[in-house]
Amino acid sequence: MRSDDAVADFSSRGPTRFENYAKPDIVTAGYAIVSLEASGSYLLTNYPHLEVAPGYFRLSGTSMAAPIAAGAAALMFDGNPELSAHTVKAVLQFTAQYIPDVDAMTQGAGELNVAGAV
């Protein structure tokens, strides 16, 4: 369900400081993502409250969003290995879904649409 999606307050927004470039290219899920944890890791040791179940923890930020975008790109390359990196970026932006009431300097081309891109 996309109707409750929003861009996190901490998400970076454009334009860039010095070049005045638009950013981001697109947005994707990155808030309160549950993922695998490494036993004995720094995060688990110092922030045990992040654990949601044995072997899993919840984090937010680019480190959680980037694998989602990378996974979408991997699916695109799997379906068409001849794609260039520039084409993948263009398709991801072209198929992104607009988030109502969010400006372009906050959402870029919109929210990642994996099914549309693949």
Side-chain angles (χ1 to χ4, degrees):
M1 176 171 69
R2 292 184 182 264
S3 62
D4 65 346
D5 290 356
V7 179
D9 292 338
F10 60 80
S11 183
S12 183
R13 288 155 168 76
T16 59
R17 183 172 180 182
F18 298 108
E19 299 88 1
N20 216 27
Y21 292 154
K23 72 172 195 174
D25 295 326
I26 61 171
V27 294
T28 190
Y31 179 76
I33 303 295
V34 175
S35 185
L36 296 171
E37 68 186 17
S39 179
S41 70
Y42 175 86
L43 285 174
L44 184 57
T45 302
N46 291 286
Y47 304 97
H49 64 279
L50 297 174
E51 187 174 49
V52 295
Y56 296 92
F57 65 158
R58 183 183 322 270
L59 290 173
S60 299
T62 304
S63 61
M64 301 309 283
I68 295 171
L75 290 170
M76 293 173 67
F77 281 121
D78 186 54
N80 188 347
E82 303 301 316
L83 291 174
S84 71
H86 294 293
T87 302
V88 169
K89 178 179 176 179
V91 170
L92 289 172
Q93 289 179 299
F94 181 76
T95 58
Q97 294 185 318
Y98 174 76
I99 305 169
D101 302 320
V102 178
D103 66 87
M105 289 296 180
T106 299
Q107 70 173 307
E111 184 175 15
L112 177 67
N113 174 6
V114 178
V118 171

